[in-house]
Structures are given as structure tokens and as C-alpha cells.
Amino acid sequence: MTRRIPEDQPFVVRPNVAKRGLLMMGVVLLFVLPIASCAGLGIVNSADPQMRSQSVLGILGVVGCLLALIALPLGIQLWLIGSGGPVLALGPAGLWIRTRPTRGQAIWLPWEGVAQISRRRWSLEKMLVVKPRDSRVLQNLGAFTALDGAALSAFYGSGLVATLNFADRSEAEIMAAVAHYSAGRCQLV
């Protein structure tokens, strides 16, 4: 285990914060725009023109605060994801993969220690899922890692996952590299 995946591996996959940020911005707008639209319709239907300008400022303030309340936690999450370094690294001897989605803690597994590598999708996220042959390799990684791993295991079947669609490389390129470097030493599904 290490705090960060080494960057000197033959194939390194990093998170693409811009892709994830655009998706999160779309989700935020999906929630905020209906509220702003309803408030705007209420202002337009207001009978008193004097009150309209004050109402517009009030609604803009509420929408701005709502955006800040939603965008601040999402911005912190984006920063945590982006600052943790690579999410996956492959080499002839094995692979490095993050053990926590938002921080850089990582574990190295030799190809012989990997039981299966698969692709899974949950909602908009496509993940590369790595199942170790021996689940004891995930012990003693810390309480927060165990908590993150339990949530990831519930969604994907393993706590060791790396993003496929929010990475700096394409899904096809990542899967081709996995097939190349694993050289048949683990099952690819």
C-alpha cells in the first residue's frame, strides 16, 4: 500500500476532472433551473411593477445561495478526486489501483493476485472492477477505506474500482492495456 500510485508505470490512468465537472454542472442545473423558472413565472405574473424589481433581486439571491450550497460540496469532491493522482497504473508485473475514490491511497496487486477484472456500470459511471484472489489484501487499510470499500462493493461487487468514462484515456484504450499487460493471468469479463 502507498499514498499515491507511482507515475513511472508503463500505463497510467488519471481522472479527468473536466469531464466529471461538466456532468456535475449539468446535474446542478437540472435541480436549480426548475426552481428558478417557477420563481421567474411568479415574478412575471406579479401585478405590481414596483415589486417586480425587488422580487427579481430576491429570487436571484436565493438562486445564487442555492447554487453555492450545491456547488461548494461538489467542488470539494472534484478537488479531492483530482488531487489524489492516478486512479490506475498497469505494468508487466501487476497493477496499482486506488483503494479510495476521493484520495490517493493505492494498493499494488500482482497479476497472479487478481481473480477477475470486469466492467460495471451504475448510473452514469462506468468502472473497471478488480477482484483480488485473496480478500485479505484489503484488510488493515484503515476505517475510512473500509467504509468506502463497503459502499463500492455494494454497487460494483468489489472495493477496488477505477473510472472508465471519467478518465484521461478512453475505455477501449484502458481495456486493451489491461488485456495486454495481464497477458491472460487473470480473467477479463
Side-chain angles (χ1 to χ4, degrees):
M1 182 183 72
T2 184
R3 291 187 56 90
R4 196 174 179 109
I5 293 175
E7 304 255 355
D8 63 347
Q9 297 297 304
F11 188 83
V12 178
V13 179
R14 292 170 189 78
N16 189 327
V17 178
K19 281 183 189 177
R20 191 174 294 274
L22 286 172
L23 175 74
M24 286 181 172
M25 201 169 23
V27 170
V28 167
L29 289 176
L30 185 71
F31 287 112
V32 173
L33 282 179
I35 294 169
S37 297
C38 290
L41 284 174
I43 291 170
V44 168
N45 292 335
S46 173
D48 188 10
Q50 188 72 11
M51 294 297 287
R52 281 187 190 163
S53 63
Q54 292 174 352
S55 297
V56 168
L57 290 176
I59 294 300
L60 287 176
V62 169
V63 169
C65 289
L66 187 61
L67 277 173
L69 282 172
I70 295 171
L72 183 65
L74 292 178
I76 291 171
Q77 183 182 12
L78 276 176
W79 175 75
L80 288 171
I81 290 169
S83 67
V87 293
L88 178 71
L90 307 170
L95 64 87
W96 287 92
I97 189 164
R98 273 194 196 175
T99 58
R100 297 187 61 201
T102 57
R103 298 306 298 155
Q105 183 180 355
I107 190 168
W108 182 80
L109 293 171
W111 289 114
E112 292 76 17
V114 177
Q116 176 182 341
I117 297 178
S118 61
R119 288 180 283 189
R120 294 270 170 85
R121 177 183 209 112
W122 190 83
S123 184
L124 299 174
E125 185 87 42
K126 284 188 193 175
M127 297 296 245
L128 178 83
V129 181
V130 177
K131 288 188 181 180
R133 288 192 194 282
D134 187 2
S135 62
R136 291 179 294 178
V137 299
L138 301 176
Q139 292 177 348
N140 302 324
L141 294 177
F144 291 118
T145 302
L147 185 63
D148 286 342
L152 291 171
S153 291
F155 288 121
Y156 300 111
S158 174
L160 299 176
V161 296
T163 186
L164 287 172
N165 56 338
F166 295 111
D168 66 341
R169 296 175 180 256
S170 70
E171 179 181 351
E173 188 179 2
I174 294 169
M175 293 310 293
V178 168
H180 171 72
Y181 286 109
S182 68
R185 293 177 275 183
C186 64
Q187 182 182 9
L188 301 179
V189 180

